[in-house]
Amino acid sequence: MAEDRDMPVIDLQDSGKRAALFERIRRDHSVEIAEDYVELIADLIETNGEARLVDLADLLGVSRPTVNNTIQRLQKEGYVESKPYRSIFLTDKGRAVAEHARQRHHMVLDFLHTIGVPADIAEADAEGLEHHLSEQTLDCLARATEALKKASGHGDNQS
Amino acid sequence: MAEDRDMPVIDLQDSGKRAALFERIRRDHSVEIAEDYVELIADLIETNGEARLVDLADLLGVSRPTVNNTIQRLQKEGYVESKPYRSIFLTDKGRAVAEHARQRHHMVLDFLHTIGVPADIAEADAEGLEHHLSEQTLDCLARATEALKKASGHGDNQS
DNA sequence: ATATAAATTTAGCCTATGCTAAGTTTGCGA
DNA sequence: TCGCAAACTTAGCATAGGCTAAATTTATAT
Ligand SMILES: [Mn+2]
Ligand SMILES: [Mn+2]
Ligand SMILES: [Mn+2]
Ligand SMILES: [Mn+2]
């Protein structure tokens, strides 16, 4: 079982196909911030009754002007609404994105916990992984999580 | 088994802890391009004997000036070396990063294949996921992949 | 009611990452 | 060998996403 660990994973022959993959990643990254913001905004509204800029800045670990700037972009792009000096609301589009993001976040966390990743590390990794999963992969991941839960339910094969 | 699918995943109480997670993601993203570049450069050198800017641009789906620009940054950061108008070489640091990136890439692909993700989609998702996995999660992922391979070797529980 | 504190916005700056158009250098075929 | 095409670089531009410092607005506490 000597693996091909040191072989190119990448098909250098068809550069068009390879380029398309990287283009998707760049697209993923451009919506990633939108997803994290609307998810946080939804959480804040549910928990505190409103989403304030200052709380977003604290949770995201960036400055208040940075959040202000991003919120204005997200407003242009139709994810949120907010009047000057007032708190932030989600549009229907924003709510839909938040809901989807939250589901994926749950699913990734559930999987990471199931394969034995410590809670802290799972939370950290999930925050990045959640934006790079296609629908098909999410399906497969859910099935794999169930299979692993069942397996570790019966026998045990830890460390 | 009604899940808490619609609960905040996020602890809004400890904003410092949450902020640290997002800070890690921003850090991950800042090395992500370096990882993809050095991995591609290593592949090109092994396959073609040299890594040329034009091939990188084609494979990445970006313009030649963009690659030129990034290569200059990667040179400043000590990942690559190249003299004007000549092809691109990896430093020891670059080779180490490439090797690590390739291992993760293999591992993520292997996992995705194992849980039944179609090859095309697996390749696409792996290109993004590979940059957001901690060492601990990689370990757990490798173990889970083995467990799933063993499981589907004996019985079968597809679709 | 008003002073002060908190929150938000604006202005001005930076780097990373993308682009096109135009210039330079290299390499190859006639 | 030398001229042209390919490859690379430079210049100049744009946007996203960071920052600090300084205004402005809103909210609170006496
Ligand atoms: Mn995230
Ligand atoms: Mn990401
Ligand atoms: Mn990648
Ligand atoms: Mn990524």
Side-chain angles (χ1 to χ4, degrees), chain B residues 120-136:
Chain B
D120 296 31
I121 296 170
E123 282 187 59
D125 288 11
E127 200 52 71
L129 297 172
E130 59 177 353
H131 310 281
H132 298 283
L133 293 156
S134 63
E135 289 302 318
Q136 288 96 331

Side-chain angles (χ1 to χ4, degrees), chain B residues 46-118:
Chain B
E46 280 180 39
T47 306
N48 297 349
E50 65 174 343
R52 300 189 311 160
L53 190 149
V54 61
D55 296 324
L56 281 173
D58 286 351
L59 285 164
L60 290 163
V62 298
S63 72
R64 270 107 89 145
T66 293
V67 174
N68 192 267
N69 202 28
T70 303
I71 291 295
Q72 291 185 5
R73 180 172 64 80
L74 295 184
Q75 188 158 19
K76 275 193 219 105
E77 292 171 2
Y79 294 102
V80 308
E81 278 176 77
S82 100
K83 293 194 270 269
Y85 294 97
R86 318 303 338 195
S87 64
I88 298 146
F89 300 91
L90 293 176
T91 62
D92 288 350
K93 177 181 174 183
R95 243 185 311 277
V97 169
E99 178 57 29
H100 196 223
R102 184 180 284 175
Q103 277 178 233
R104 276 178 304 166
H105 203 123
H106 266 295
M107 197 175 297
V108 173
L109 263 186
D110 189 20
F111 168 73
L112 291 176
H113 292 150
T114 300
I115 66 172
V117 179

